[in-house]
Amino acid sequence: RMNAIEEEKESNSQLLQRMSKIEQQMNKLIVQNMDPEQQRFKSWMESTNSLAAYYDAFVAHGITDFAKFGSLGMQDIKNMGIDDIQHQMMILTKVLELSR
């Protein structure tokens, strides 16, 4: 019984590793298909610790470059499902920093 559990754990671990590799390959392909401005925006988002977690949400709402990000307002951020007021303010701060 114990061997079956250990084998299942090992199998799950291997599956997770394979999934991680596939995800990395997909991300590389996505970046290759982006225009340079979108690539710069993605890199900036990922390097900005406070924004990295929201990159997918921004993309899902069509925010894929600096111009679109710079036009965000509080209602836009709320409409994206970002409900935490501290996170909303942090995003608005970044928007204002970019517009300076």
Side-chain angles (χ1 to χ4, degrees), residues 20-99:
S20 176
K21 287 180 184 178
I22 290 169
E23 183 179 20
Q24 290 171 359
Q25 291 171 340
M26 287 176 56
N27 286 336
K28 286 180 186 176
L29 288 173
I30 290 168
V31 169
Q32 289 174 355
N33 289 322
M34 290 179 177
D35 68 43
E37 177 67 12
Q38 289 172 326
Q39 288 178 8
R40 276 187 347 103
F41 180 71
K42 182 177 186 344
S43 294
W44 176 76
M45 288 282 297
E46 290 174 343
S47 68
T48 306
N49 291 335
S50 56
L51 295 177
Y54 292 111
Y55 179 73
D56 290 336
F58 286 123
V59 170
H61 288 85
I63 310 300
T64 57
D65 57 40
F66 290 105
K68 292 173 187 165
F69 181 82
S71 68
L72 287 175
M74 181 61 87
Q75 193 58 49
D76 300 314
I77 295 166
K78 288 179 181 179
N79 290 344
M80 290 172 44
I82 301 171
D83 298 322
D84 185 305
I85 188 68
Q86 289 179 321
H87 293 191
Q88 293 169 353
M89 297 306 295
M90 176 267 308
I91 292 167
L92 280 179
T93 299
K94 293 293 181 186
V95 168
L96 291 172
E97 286 174 4
L98 281 178
S99 65

